[in-house]
Amino acid sequence: MTLALDAPRIVETRPLLEVHGVSKSYKSIRAVRNVSAHAYQGEVLGIVGESGSGKSTLLRMMNLEEIPETGSYTLDLPDVSGNLFELDRFARRMLCATKIGIVYQNPHLGLLMKHSSSGNVAERLLVAGERSFATLRQAATEALDASEFPLDRLDAPPIELSGGMQQRVQLAKAIALEPALLLLDEPTTGLDVSVQALVLDTLKRLQQDRQITMVIVSHDLGVIRTLADRVMVMRRGEVVETGLADQIFQDPQHPYTQQLVHAKL
Amino acid sequence: MTQVLEIDRLTKGFSLHHLEKDIPAFENISFTVAAGEFVLLKGANGAGKSTLLRTLYRSYLPLSGKIRFHSSYGLIDLARAADVDVAHLRRTEIGFVTQFLTARPRVSAEAIVAEPLRLAGWEPEAALNAARKALETFGVKPDLWAAYPTTFSGGEQQKVNLARALILPQKLLMLDEPTASLDANARGALVERLQELKEQGTAMIGVFHHPDDVLHLIDRIVDLTPDHTPTEERDDVAL
């Protein structure tokens, strides 16, 4: 047995994101059991685990798409307070639009496939109350540019774009309002390896330039290794291990994590 | 002398669950490192030299013992410090030099070298200038500064790696065979930079396959061979 770790002593700020004791069942299946997680400002938290481990459910809770039966969720931001799971539908929608961005594995979940790419991004700003066409167009273009989307294709609908480009549109939409928190659900799964590397590189740049707090869920350890500062390993709805990314990959403690790390090609 | 690190009965082993096996790495290691002191780790292959460095950096979790580090925030036991505190200290006070560069696609050599300075809050222009100077010191040609090191040869990558790892003076620096795959000029530049850091008070712990290069920097040798007197003054030992 290794030593139990102390509470933070040098870093005195509160984590930006704190989820505490959340549980969620679907019929007889307990998808997430008593899970707690946190991420500090500017930190990238990686969540790994196989399908059915509850990692995506947890991420959807952080996006307030799923409300757990028990547990609390706080974001340490100005004018955000209390347990976010208790917000009403309208407040939830507003909070998600302005403070949280999300990129899904499946672009159909995040985009209107037949609307223009810039329109998809601008929609985010409309929800937040922006009405001037010029401002919308300008902000959408900037977000797409930051996501390294080719600007000569602004008006192309996502349905006509490659998988990698669709993910860039999702990313642009997610960051258009400069969210405090960016959630990524298998953002590169299903893409060609070379395209995957480019999307990961874009994410890394964004993270470094803007110091966005990110939570990234993936079953791909390479993705997590490239991006995450800290890693949480989930299995059957529970957290089996958390640690600094290099420690999880070089000195995994839990039998399941060891199996996972050693199974990597 | 100002102590920087006090290692107290540190023990590390690995539990390999699928083999149902516990593999010991090292046991009850104790020694101290003062500011400006250079400690060489000695011992046969498998004696646990690199494992010890990684444990001190907390890439490995120790089984027992203490790693008392005199940080600028006060004394902290790295053996059980919170992950977020360790991450913070790695950005500011504790460095680790390996023989490998983690090159990232589409990031230029000068940007990679400047990164630690940027993370420490330097202005982009100043950081870039310092990075170029460091690359020059290690003998990377100016043509390559804006190129992507993913395509560099092993030796050139290692120069970029060293320039990056040593650009920001730190309180504590771990060196894991940094001279491997370096040409003579780059080795010279490395030794010179280590000398400089030593004079500025950086405490260093190193593993060197061929310690001849750094011989004059070594203050003390810690031998990890089991059942061996753990520390000796450098004058008493033949390398």
Side-chain angles (χ1 to χ4, degrees):
Chain A
M1 267 308 281
T2 50
L3 302 160
L5 300 185
D6 293 332
R9 287 181 37 217
I10 294 177
V11 176
E12 287 174 331
T13 51
R14 278 185 54 194
L16 176 111
L17 168 157
E18 270 182 289
V19 170
H20 191 73
V22 294
S23 296
K24 173 93 184 169
S25 306
Y26 298 104
K27 292 182 183 159
S28 60
I29 301 157
R30 296 187 65 188
V32 171
R33 309 183 206 194
N34 193 24
V35 166
S36 298
H38 65 268
Y40 284 86
Q41 159 64 38
E43 193 180 39
V44 181
L45 174 68
I47 307 178
V48 290
E50 57 204 7
S51 323
S53 61
K55 57 190 194 308
S56 291
T57 304
L58 182 63
L59 198 79
R60 285 201 298 273
M61 287 177 188
M62 291 175 181
N63 197 39
L64 296 173
E65 289 169 61
E66 296 267 6
I67 303 299
E69 287 121 26
T70 60
S72 65
Y73 178 18
T74 54
L75 287 178
D76 189 26
L77 292 170
D79 55 78
V80 177
S81 62
N83 181 358
L84 304 182
F85 292 137
E86 289 166 2
L87 293 177
D88 64 44
R89 198 172 290 246
F90 177 75
R92 224 187 278 167
R93 190 173 145 85
M94 210 51 210
L95 180 84
C96 286
T98 54
K99 309 288 187 202
I100 305 174
I102 188 161
V103 175
Y104 299 95
Q105 174 184 357
N106 182 348
H108 291 263
L109 285 176
L111 299 175
L112 296 162
M113 298 304 279
K114 292 180 181 169
H115 290 61
S116 73
S117 293
S118 59
N120 265 287
V121 179
E123 188 232 299
R124 211 20 150 35
L125 302 151
L126 274 168
V127 172
E130 182 55 57
R131 289 293 177 269
S132 143
F133 179 79
T135 312
L136 285 172
R137 179 85 180 174
Q138 175 68 18
T141 308
E142 276 169 20
L144 282 160
D145 193 31
S147 307
E148 300 178 90
F149 181 86
L151 295 185
D152 55 351
R153 308 216 57 192
L154 283 180
D155 297 318
I159 198 160
E160 290 175 9
L161 300 171
S162 66
M165 285 306 145
Q166 290 175 347
Q167 292 312 66
R168 291 182 191 281
V169 179
Q170 275 208 79
L171 185 58
K173 181 180 170 184
I175 62 167
L177 283 171
E178 311 209 339
L181 176 65
L182 181 59
L183 305 173
L184 304 153
D185 189 5
E186 305 270 9
T188 61
T189 304
L191 300 178
D192 285 347
V193 177
S194 58
V195 177
Q196 189 173 39
L198 292 177
V199 173
L200 286 179
D201 182 45
T202 303
L203 287 171
K204 187 107 201 165
R205 269 160 200 262
L206 272 177
Q207 203 276 327
Q208 286 190 342
D209 294 349
R210 305 193 177 191
Q211 287 293 301
I212 311 178
T213 306
M214 292 187 186
V215 180
I216 176 164
V217 159
S218 185
H219 69 276
D220 185 333
L221 296 185
V223 169
I224 298 292
R225 192 197 286 265
T226 309
L227 288 176
D229 300 309
R230 223 153 35 78
V231 175
M232 191 164 110
V233 185
M234 287 187 72
R235 187 193 196 196
R236 294 185 191 144
E238 290 175 310
V239 177
V240 299
E241 183 169 358
T242 62
L244 291 165
D246 55 324
Q247 181 255 300
I248 293 290
F249 286 108
Q250 294 179 37
D251 189 19
Q253 305 293 310
H254 190 276
Y256 177 68
T257 316
Q258 291 191 354
Q259 193 190 325
L260 206 66
V261 169
H262 295 145
K264 166 121 180 83
L265 289 176
Chain B
M1 270 197 290
T2 325
Q3 291 300 346
V4 170
L5 198 66
E6 299 163 42
I7 300 160
D8 183 15
R9 286 164 293 159
L10 194 65
T11 300
K12 174 62 187 164
F14 299 91
S15 295
L16 301 183
H17 293 283
H18 69 291
L19 299 174
E20 292 179 19
K21 225 172 155 177
D22 286 329
I23 297 172
F26 53 80
E27 221 174 313
N28 288 321
I29 299 288
S30 302
F31 65 93
T32 61
V33 194
E37 207 177 11
F38 189 112
V39 171
L40 179 79
L41 297 182
K42 195 180 130 183
N45 280 341
K49 304 185 292 288
S50 293
T51 304
L52 175 57
L53 288 185
R54 287 177 195 175
T55 307
L56 298 177
Y57 196 61
R58 258 285 288 283
S59 293
Y60 292 164
L61 287 171
L63 295 180
S64 62
K66 287 187 193 310
I67 309 167
R68 288 191 210 93
F69 175 60
H70 293 258
S71 79
S72 57
Y73 306 88
L75 199 61
I76 187 160
D77 179 6
L78 296 176
R80 45 192 309 163
D83 290 327
V84 63
D85 284 347
V86 173
H88 181 83
L89 289 172
R90 286 176 179 183
R91 279 195 300 274
T92 50
E93 301 184 15
I94 303 177
F96 195 106
V97 189
T98 64
Q99 41 179 312
F100 306 108
L101 173 76
T102 355
R104 286 203 310 272
R106 296 198 296 151
V107 183
S108 68
E110 56 191 20
I112 287 183
V113 176
E115 200 173 73
L117 298 175
R118 296 281 293 124
L119 287 173
W122 285 47
E123 289 302 316
E125 204 49 37
L128 216 50
N129 284 333
R132 289 173 185 148
K133 197 162 159 267
L135 284 166
E136 189 171 23
T137 311
F138 279 100
V140 180
K141 293 188 201 78
D143 302 353
L144 295 178
W145 295 351
Y148 307 144
T150 27
T151 57
F152 290 9
S153 70
E156 294 304 303
Q157 285 201 2
Q158 176 59 346
K159 290 176 193 171
V160 176
N161 181 36
L162 289 176
R164 174 192 160 93
L166 300 175
I167 197 164
L168 190 68
Q170 267 142 334
K171 254 190 137 145
L172 174 64
L173 186 62
M174 260 78 82
L175 302 146
D176 193 1
E177 306 234 20
T179 46
S181 79
L182 280 188
D183 59 38
N185 285 338
R187 271 209 305 278
L190 168 68
V191 173
E192 206 170 299
R193 179 63 180 151
L194 293 180
Q195 174 81 51
E196 219 171 81
L197 291 171
K198 186 168 151 62
E199 280 159 15
Q200 289 169 23
T202 297
M204 295 185 235
I205 308 174
V207 176
F208 288 81
H209 222 72
H210 302 289
D212 311 16
D213 299 320
V214 290
L215 220 49
H216 65 285
L217 298 178
I218 300 169
D219 296 298
R220 227 147 25 96
I221 292 169
V222 170
D223 195 331
L224 293 184
T225 313
D227 305 321
H228 197 281
T229 325
T231 71
E232 308 160 48
E233 286 309 313
R234 114 154 197 72
D235 296 341
D236 306 336
V237 288
L239 283 163

